[in-house]
Amino acid sequence: MTATLTFHPLGNADCTRIDFANGQKMLVDYADMRNANDPFDKRVDLPDVLKADLRVAKRDNYDVVCFTHLDDDHCCGAGDFFWLDHAAKYQGEGRIKIKELWVPAAAILEDGCQDSARIIRQEARHRLRQGYGIRVFSRPKKLKDWLEKQGLSLEARAHLITDAGTCVPGYSKYGQEQVEFFIHSPFGWRQDDNGIIDRNQDSVVFQATFLENGRETYALFMSDIDCDSIDQMVKTTKRHGNEDRLLWDIFKIPHHCSYTAIGWEKGEDKTQPTEDVEWLCETQGRERHVMVSTSKPMPVKGSAEDKDVQPPHRQAGAYYKSVAREADGSFKVTTETPSIAKPKPIQIEITDRGARLLTISAIAGAASIVSAPARAG
């Protein structure tokens, strides 16, 4: 069995399912954004497709659910879908259990959050207090202070905390799961220096390294960080001699294809990258890679959408497309589809030749799969 990554069409929102080689399942974010009362809403019915997949696998749980940060487009509807231990009202038949919950430290520390963000925060706090089923990324001083207010010490919960620049314990590319996770963000020092929580910049960014028959394939999950944070990440990685930790064959484009993840000027037709973003995209991306924008379709120049401050930005899309062309790669948008059809998930298989893009036919559905050739060895 080989690993697969499935990116769901949710508009400007995220939910990626990762199926490991040994059958374990992981979700990176969960955002049920579809309006069931709108017949023209093309976003996927996320609870339905995820539960259908779990039924086939004969399971009612995920081994890992990672919320990269608590913006609504990364956690919407979580309180309706998951079995959560901190309150009985989030328990009952049909709810999906989480063996291990991954969150940034900001998700523990944030006060004043509401709706789905508050629900996930409460679950994360409960698990951290109890000392089970949780992985927290980074240990700013504020986390130490919060734990002490709970009558706990940082040392007592250190086994549940992973810092940037290290791998998540319990996962190995040489183990049955055939994958390891290297954490790039959040930086604990950044949260201490800034004094306030910035969900996007304090979000979880990681490289997943898959090993299939001796061949390594790399996936970078960039969450919603901007170019300043990417610059810091690149400089820090280079300073520690870890450039290989920023190699990628699969690139989950940051912040739904916003130009701010490339440079601070949108540009007329193409955003110009900062020096570090250019290095990350143009040097570290390997031949025949796949770039995935979890977003709405790229706007047409001069359209109302083109003038919107919110992503996706066609200038950013133009930059990523140019990067893909130079590497004989692919640039894919999760919600880009002909007007007569609903978008299908983007699925990538990890093979012994690299990342293999699977395209599900919009007409025939899941029964028809056409594969792009894997990147050559």
Side-chain angles (χ1 to χ4, degrees):
M1 169 173 193
T2 59
T4 58
L5 287 72
T6 304
F7 298 83
H8 296 92
L10 298 163
N12 281 10
D14 274 309
C15 182
T16 304
R17 191 185 81 236
I18 304 178
D19 294 282
F20 300 163
N22 66 345
Q24 287 184 274
K25 288 181 178 288
M26 174 180 182
L27 283 188
V28 183
D29 293 318
Y30 173 94
D32 179 18
M33 306 299 287
R34 182 172 178 268
N35 181 357
N37 298 318
D38 181 358
F40 300 104
D41 192 335
K42 295 181 179 180
R43 291 171 292 189
V44 72
D45 185 337
L46 189 61
D48 185 62
V49 299
L50 292 180
K51 287 184 177 181
D53 172 74
L54 288 171
R55 282 196 297 272
V56 171
K58 298 181 179 180
R59 359 180 0 157
D60 65 352
N61 60 74
Y62 288 101
D63 297 280
V64 176
V65 177
C66 173
F67 289 99
T68 61
H69 60 296
L70 297 187
D71 278 354
D72 202 47
D73 55 339
H74 293 256
C75 66
C76 181
D80 298 319
F81 184 73
F82 293 107
W83 175 297
L84 302 174
D85 294 348
H86 75 274
K89 66 179 179 178
Y90 302 115
Q91 300 167 12
E93 186 176 355
R95 287 180 172 269
I96 305 305
K97 298 181 175 67
I98 302 171
K99 291 185 179 179
E100 187 167 84
L101 178 66
W102 291 7
V103 295
I108 300 287
L109 300 172
E110 183 175 351
D111 290 322
C113 53
Q114 299 177 336
D115 302 324
S116 297
R118 184 181 183 279
I119 292 168
I120 296 304
R121 183 199 67 182
Q122 294 303 96
E123 179 71 6
R125 286 180 171 181
H126 169 79
R127 290 180 179 223
L128 188 57
R129 288 191 192 101
Q130 298 301 314
Y132 77 95
I134 184 80
R135 173 103 356 231
V136 178
F137 296 99
S138 89
R139 61 186 83 207
K141 183 179 182 300
K142 288 182 180 180
L143 182 61
K144 178 177 182 292
D145 295 342
W146 184 87
L147 285 166
E148 288 175 352
K149 289 178 182 177
Q150 314 304 309
L152 299 166
S153 68
L154 186 64
E155 292 73 20
R157 292 293 179 265
H159 64 293
L160 302 175
I161 301 170
T162 299
D163 290 319
T166 62
C167 289
V168 178
Y171 294 88
S172 170
K173 59 189 177 184
Y174 302 111
Q176 291 185 342
E177 63 277 8
Q178 297 176 210
V179 63
E180 69 180 15
F181 298 94
F182 183 88
I183 303 303
H184 283 288
S185 172
F187 298 116
W189 59 262
R190 203 202 75 84
Q191 295 168 72
D192 289 334
D193 289 350
N194 290 359
I196 60 172
I197 288 172
D198 181 329
R199 285 179 177 173
N200 287 354
Q201 311 322 313
D202 295 331
S203 61
V204 179
V205 175
F206 63 86
Q207 181 204 53
T209 300
F210 300 90
L211 184 66
E212 180 62 36
N213 198 22
R215 172 59 177 272
E216 291 185 351
T217 298
Y218 309 103
L220 269 182
F221 280 75
M222 299 295 290
S223 192
D224 280 6
I225 61 174
D226 63 25
C227 60
D228 271 1
S229 293
I230 294 174
D231 290 349
Q232 290 177 352
M233 185 179 77
V234 168
K235 287 180 172 62
T236 300
T237 303
K238 286 182 173 180
R239 188 170 66 248
H240 288 89
N242 283 332
E243 286 89 343
D244 61 320
R245 293 298 188 175
L246 286 173
L247 289 170
W248 57 272
D249 301 286
I250 302 162
F251 190 74
K252 207 291 287 183
I253 289 170
H255 205 187
H256 318 295
C257 208
S258 170
Y259 79 90
T260 60
I262 301 172
W264 286 116
E265 296 293 331
K266 184 187 290 186
E268 180 62 29
D269 289 306
K270 185 166 75 170
T271 304
Q272 295 302 310
T274 67
E275 181 179 345
D276 290 313
V277 170
E278 180 181 31
W279 177 83
L280 176 64
C281 290
E282 300 180 31
T283 299
Q284 296 301 94
R286 304 209 291 179
E287 288 294 308
R288 302 189 73 178
H289 59 237
V290 184
M291 310 179 91
V292 180
S293 175
T294 53
S295 69
K296 301 174 183 177
M298 296 299 111
V300 175
K301 186 175 182 178
S303 65
E305 292 83 1
D306 193 32
K307 299 173 185 176
D308 196 341
V309 297
Q310 295 299 319
H313 301 125
R314 64 174 174 83
Q315 295 89 338
Y319 173 69
Y320 292 126
K321 288 175 185 177
S322 71
V323 172
R325 281 195 301 270
E326 287 297 314
D328 193 22
S330 302
F331 171 82
K332 296 293 182 181
V333 179
T334 50
T335 324
E336 201 160 54
T337 185
S339 59
I340 60 171
K342 287 190 175 182
K344 303 295 181 182
I346 293 171
Q347 192 167 59
I348 301 171
E349 183 182 28
I350 306 301
T351 76
D352 58 6
R353 296 183 61 205
R356 174 180 161 188
L357 180 65
L358 304 179
T359 304
I360 303 175
S361 167
I363 297 174
S368 177
I369 297 180
V370 181
S371 65
R375 188 173 67 79

